[in-house]
Amino acid sequence: MASQTVFKPWVPDWAVKAVLIFCMLHSMVLLGLYTSNTTYSASFLDVEVEDLQYAMSITYGTFLATILIESRIFKFFPTRNYFIAIYFLAAVTFIISAYTHDYVLFIILRMVEGVLMALPWIPLRLLLLSRFKSKNATIVVFSLTYGTLLIASPFIMNIVVWLLENYDWKYMAYGSAFFQFLCVALVLITFNGHRFHKKTPLYQVDWASFVLVHTAILCGAFVLVYGEKKYWFQSSQIVLASALTAVSSGLFLVRQLLVKRPCFDLKVFRYANLRTGLVLFVLFYISRASLNICHTTMSKVWNWEPVRVANIQYINALGDLIGIFIAAILLSRAVATRYIFILGFSLMAIYHLWFTFLFVPDVTLQDIMIPYLLQGIAVGILFVPLVLFTVSAVPAQLAPFSGTVGVTGRFWGSTIGFCLMQNAQVFLEQKHYSKFSETIVAERPEIQEQVNGYIQKFQSKGFSLDESAKLAMQQITSNLRKQGTLLSNMEIFTAIGLGLVVLVVLLIFNRHLRQSFDIFKNKIWGS
């Protein structure tokens, strides 16, 4: 492998690094474009929020399945041609999606985008790793790549909101396609026609395993995303999807045990630290999913404008940067993993318990700024150490498979997190709304006073008495729903916060959780 030969000799080293990091943002654009503003995307496609969440799960799930076979595909093509084809096809899918109103076609495009997101991710990171020669190269590269992805979200969100407010919805897709063409231009300028690996024939690709694991992922995600909406196992679709998940998962596992060269070696699960890393990833992503509740509250309860919500996310991105910097320092000084995890999950617990007291009818930015920043710091501190802890928990020859376990934890953690938050919110909001409704009795003086106040308010705006009375009751109902939402959010955040406190206590008293970074031997990871 001669990694230096794939770049043109006249391109300076700093420019090569910048191009590689910029091209990595391709993955963030593919994953987060349509979920950056679910309201506009859902209205354009005439679908529900759950449909968009499932579309994101399809993209990320396809990414997970594709990294199992990605290395064979990368080794078959010349490096420059490989990247150019990927970015060009990604641009084409975005342009097609700009004219797509059919949800089925949209889902197919999201699958294609999942493949295109996975194919360049590991090769780009390997190329970036080859440009750093210090002993902390792996820490630097992982901090740069994952840090860039974490802070890219608010930038994409702001660009999307600006395009939606000033131009047609389609320009959001056009802008994303332009980004892909820009990546094509950078690759043409930076890369030569040489290979990074010796050519490997494509006939050894384990397509059967890809189909099996992809089926299991898509069906499992369908169950988690749509379970509550379809009343779980009362729906024949949920039953069928569950059965397909169990069957395809079982066949995939059996195949990995029987074939000579499995695309996923199950031996990785023999190592305790890898199992621990997988569990921590799932718990981390479940706790991280609560941030969507904050953003939803900003929009629907506090009635903040989309632009303001998008701009506020820069505060969280600043926290990500601070956390990544802290984590990089701790890792470079060989601080025990357990202490890093204790610090990160402690800050995550503080964020949840603090925010519990902020779910009130109206707040200011100053009220939420510190805990909102703390969430970003906690994510930044935990993310890279969790990745490194997981991928380095096994011998070097198994490192690619341990990286896949890390991606698995992130995927299922985010999907399970959405499922838990969705079900908890629906259940708690219905419970609180029912209780509040029982207290609304027209004869009660305080209720009559509120209704009369709203009637006078609407009459002053030109509505008739009957119209004002109807609007007054709608306002009372809306207030009840908002109160139910706020109470539900308080209970969810309290439960997560207390759960994280328990996790921190377990980490404090766990004497078997050791730092096992073999990061200087493991050069190829599937995460």
Side-chain angles (χ1 to χ4, degrees):
M1 180 169 65
S3 58
Q4 297 290 343
T5 61
V6 301
F7 302 106
K8 293 178 180 178
W10 60 267
V11 181
D13 184 65
W14 64 266
V16 171
K17 293 174 182 175
V19 167
L20 293 173
I21 293 173
F22 183 84
C23 289
M24 282 182 171
L25 295 177
H26 148 92
S27 298
M28 191 65 203
V29 173
L30 285 171
L31 185 63
L33 174 65
Y34 299 102
T35 53
S36 296
N37 198 305
T38 56
T39 303
Y40 285 99
S41 300
S43 62
F44 180 81
L45 293 165
D46 193 24
V47 295
E48 301 293 333
V49 174
E50 291 85 1
D51 298 323
L52 281 179
Q53 175 63 32
Y54 186 59
M56 190 186 77
S57 297
I58 282 178
T59 306
Y60 204 172
T62 305
F63 171 90
L64 172 57
T66 304
I67 61 173
L68 295 174
I69 60 173
E70 167 275 327
S71 63
R72 289 285 183 185
I73 300 174
F74 176 52
K75 291 174 183 177
F76 180 76
F77 296 99
T79 304
R80 182 178 63 183
N81 297 349
Y82 179 81
F83 289 130
I84 289 174
I86 289 169
Y87 295 128
F88 180 79
L89 289 173
V92 171
T93 59
F94 278 126
I95 293 172
I96 295 173
S97 67
Y99 297 92
T100 301
H101 291 268
D102 183 71
Y103 182 69
V104 175
L105 178 57
F106 178 72
I107 288 297
I108 294 172
L109 290 173
R110 293 302 279 170
M111 285 188 193
V112 173
E113 289 167 359
V115 174
L116 297 174
M117 186 176 82
L119 291 179
W121 174 244
I122 299 174
L124 284 171
R125 197 173 61 193
L126 284 173
L127 290 170
L128 186 60
L129 188 62
S130 71
R131 310 302 295 184
F132 290 87
K133 304 302 179 184
S134 68
K135 71 172 187 176
N136 291 324
T138 306
I139 296 172
V140 172
V141 170
F142 273 60
S143 298
L144 281 174
T145 55
Y146 287 108
T148 303
L149 289 178
L150 286 175
I151 65 173
S153 180
F155 287 97
I156 293 174
M157 176 74 172
N158 275 273
I159 293 171
V160 167
V161 170
W162 182 81
L163 285 171
L164 290 172
E165 290 199 343
N166 294 277
Y167 299 96
D168 186 76
W169 190 92
K170 294 174 183 173
Y171 282 89
M172 184 173 71
Y174 295 157
S176 302
F178 174 78
F179 179 87
Q180 308 303 319
F181 285 127
L182 189 57
C183 289
V184 170
L186 291 173
V187 170
L188 284 170
I189 293 171
T190 309
F191 286 74
N192 56 36
H194 298 166
R195 291 179 176 272
F196 189 73
H197 289 285
K198 181 181 178 181
K199 185 175 180 179
T200 302
L202 276 177
Y203 67 82
Q204 295 179 343
V205 177
D206 192 355
W207 295 109
S209 293
F210 171 80
V211 171
L212 288 172
V213 75
H214 195 221
T215 302
I217 289 169
L218 298 189
C219 292
F222 182 88
V223 173
L224 292 174
V225 172
Y226 288 105
E228 185 276 330
K229 193 175 185 67
K230 295 181 179 293
Y231 301 101
W232 294 102
F233 294 103
Q234 296 180 33
S235 167
S236 59
Q237 291 179 321
I238 297 297
V239 172
L240 177 61
S242 301
L244 286 173
T245 302
V247 172
S248 54
S249 298
L251 290 175
F252 173 77
L253 295 176
V254 170
R255 180 172 175 80
Q256 304 318 298
L257 293 172
L258 296 180
V259 297
K260 184 178 180 181
R261 295 185 182 88
C263 66
F264 181 80
D265 197 332
L266 297 176
K267 293 178 183 176
V268 294
F269 289 111
R270 295 177 181 176
Y271 297 88
N273 274 0
L274 181 128
R275 298 193 298 269
T276 302
L278 175 60
V279 172
L280 289 177
F281 252 128
V282 172
L283 295 177
F284 167 66
Y285 263 81
I286 290 174
S287 63
R288 192 184 175 208
S290 65
L291 189 64
N292 290 329
I293 293 179
C294 294
H295 295 153
T296 302
T297 304
M298 292 176 189
S299 300
K300 296 186 176 181
V301 178
W302 298 334
N303 297 319
W304 292 0
E305 295 294 325
V307 174
R308 188 183 184 190
V309 176
N311 289 331
I312 287 170
Q313 292 186 33
Y314 284 124
I315 298 173
N316 193 255
L318 175 63
D320 290 332
L321 283 176
I322 295 171
I324 290 167
F325 182 72
I326 293 172
I329 293 175
L330 296 176
L331 290 171
S332 64
R333 296 186 178 181
V335 174
T337 309
R338 183 162 62 115
Y339 299 134
I340 300 176
F341 291 165
I342 289 171
L343 173 62
F345 282 113
S346 295
L347 291 176
M348 190 70 84
I350 292 171
Y351 149 73
H352 280 92
L353 295 176
W354 191 334
F355 233 98
T356 298
F357 300 98
L358 298 176
F359 287 115
V360 292
D362 191 24
V363 297
T364 64
L365 178 58
Q366 288 72 23
D367 295 328
I368 70 166
M369 183 179 296
I370 296 178
Y372 192 64
L373 181 70
L374 281 180
Q375 197 274 352
I377 295 174
V379 169
I381 289 175
L382 288 169
F383 202 98
V384 174
L386 272 172
V387 172
L388 292 176
F389 178 79
T390 305
V391 300
S392 61
V394 299
Q397 66 271 19
L398 295 176
F401 309 115
S402 65
T404 303
V405 171
V407 179
T408 302
R410 298 200 291 274
F411 171 75
W412 288 115
S414 60
T415 307
I416 293 171
F418 172 83
C419 176
L420 291 176
M421 300 304 160
Q422 179 195 46
N423 281 271
Q425 282 186 296
V426 170
F427 172 77
L428 293 172
E429 287 176 10
Q430 288 179 347
K431 183 186 75 170
H432 291 308
Y433 180 74
S434 297
K435 287 186 177 180
F436 286 146
S437 297
E438 294 174 359
T439 65
I440 301 300
V441 180
E443 288 75 18
R444 292 179 59 181
E446 59 270 26
I447 300 301
Q448 290 181 348
E449 184 178 347
Q450 285 187 30
V451 172
N452 291 333
Y454 284 128
I455 290 175
Q456 292 176 6
K457 174 183 174 182
F458 288 119
Q459 281 186 311
S460 66
K461 294 181 178 181
F463 291 97
S464 66
L465 179 61
D466 289 340
E467 291 174 336
S468 298
K470 290 179 181 179
L471 291 172
M473 292 309 300
Q474 290 177 6
Q475 186 68 54
I476 294 289
T477 302
S478 176
N479 292 343
L480 291 182
R481 293 194 180 280
K482 286 184 178 181
Q483 287 294 334
T485 298
L486 291 171
L487 279 176
S488 301
N489 294 347
M490 290 175 65
E491 293 173 353
I492 291 170
F493 270 62
T494 301
I496 296 174
L498 295 177
L500 289 169
V501 170
V502 173
L503 176 60
V504 169
V505 172
L506 292 175
L507 290 172
I508 291 173
F509 290 100
N510 189 325
R511 297 181 179 274
H512 302 288
L513 184 63
R514 297 185 180 92
Q515 177 171 322
S516 61
F517 293 167
D518 194 13
I519 56 181
F520 309 115
K521 295 180 182 178
N522 300 348
K523 293 296 183 184
I524 301 176
W525 298 312
S527 65

